[in-house]
Amino acid sequence: MTQKELYNELNYVNHSREKRAYYAQLVINTPELMPHVLDILFKVNDPISNRAGWLLEFVCKTDITMLFPYIDIFTEKMHTVYQDSALRPVAKICEYLSLSYYKKKDPLTRKHIKLLHKERITEAGFDWLITEQKVAVKAYTLTTLFLIGTEIDWIHPELKRIMEDDYHKGSSAYKARCRHMFEALRKFEKRV
């Protein structure tokens, strides 16, 4: 399947779990489609890029290793994504990566995710936290930055400051995630 054919197929991808799962499985079964998915995702002004984001999120949820050959491209360009419906899956993928690296301690993830990738994810994450973004993007980012901050010591103080500054103006969902993160930070500080 060419990039043009995939682009046309993405017109049929919607929010339904069935459609996203179907096309994610298509990509998993045809790994040579991954560069096309990323190319379309990073056409950030194109409305179809959102659908590539939904598809990529489902691919990564099923098999995060599919992203590893393209981790340089993903982390280099992810900060360019700005449409809400494309940014949410990008933030979710960053959370998948950090959970795989820090919680599951997956050997393949640890082999492929380098300091440069973590730095790029951290930089984009802080940008998302201090700009007007939807709650889901911020919630996924809080988890991602908390986990990376277990290794990179300057992150937790900055994360805590941002949560404290934004807590009073956040939605109830944002406040709930912040309370969870404050508790996680407290427990982590006790251990170290």
Side-chain angles (χ1 to χ4, degrees):
M1 180 180 288
T2 66
Q3 183 171 333
K4 185 174 172 43
E5 290 168 329
L6 178 63
Y7 182 91
N8 291 333
E9 283 292 314
L10 287 173
N11 282 304
Y12 302 106
V13 175
N14 58 31
H15 278 293
S16 78
R17 186 169 285 285
E18 288 175 325
K19 288 284 188 185
R20 289 182 293 162
Y22 172 80
Y23 285 101
Q25 197 57 55
L26 176 70
V27 171
I28 289 167
N29 292 342
T30 319
E32 58 270 17
L33 292 176
M34 276 294 284
H36 299 322
V37 173
L38 288 163
D39 285 345
I40 296 167
L41 170 64
F42 294 123
K43 292 179 190 303
V44 296
N45 296 319
D46 188 328
I48 294 294
S49 74
N50 300 332
R51 295 169 188 226
W54 303 341
L55 172 58
L56 185 61
E57 177 191 342
F58 249 62
V59 168
C60 291
K61 181 179 182 181
T62 305
D63 184 1
I64 194 73
T65 66
M66 294 283 296
L67 187 60
F68 294 161
Y70 312 98
I71 195 67
D72 288 332
I73 294 164
F74 178 78
T75 59
E76 182 181 319
K77 293 185 176 182
M78 65 185 210
H79 75 279
T80 65
V81 176
Y82 69 91
Q83 293 184 51
D84 290 334
S85 56
L87 188 52
R88 191 204 62 74
V90 169
K92 185 65 175 174
I93 292 165
C94 290
E95 184 184 59
Y96 289 153
L97 287 167
S98 62
L99 288 167
S100 180
Y101 189 97
Y102 292 100
K103 285 279 192 190
K104 296 176 185 169
K105 298 184 186 320
D106 180 77
L108 272 177
T109 305
R110 288 179 159 248
K111 176 182 174 191
H112 287 90
I113 305 300
K114 306 294 181 209
L115 180 60
L116 175 64
H117 306 130
K118 294 176 212 170
E119 289 170 345
R120 289 173 177 169
I121 291 168
T122 299
E123 183 178 341
F126 276 115
D127 285 346
W128 298 335
L129 286 181
I130 62 173
T131 57
E132 290 297 316
Q133 302 298 340
K134 301 275 186 181
V135 171
V137 170
K138 291 190 177 213
Y140 301 144
T141 301
L142 289 173
T143 300
T144 299
L145 292 176
F146 169 77
L147 290 168
I148 296 173
T150 62
E151 179 183 3
I152 302 172
D153 61 0
W154 66 266
I155 292 176
H156 283 176
E158 281 302 305
L159 187 60
K160 189 174 183 181
R161 185 190 58 76
I162 289 170
M163 289 190 303
E164 288 169 347
D165 290 349
D166 292 347
Y167 186 83
H168 68 283
K169 60 186 174 189
S171 68
S172 49
Y174 179 75
K175 288 177 180 177
R177 182 59 71 105
C178 283
R179 285 190 300 272
H180 176 75
M181 287 293 105
F182 283 132
E183 180 63 19
L185 285 166
R186 188 184 64 73
K187 286 180 179 175
F188 180 76
E189 288 169 1
K190 274 186 170 180
R191 285 187 306 193
V192 289

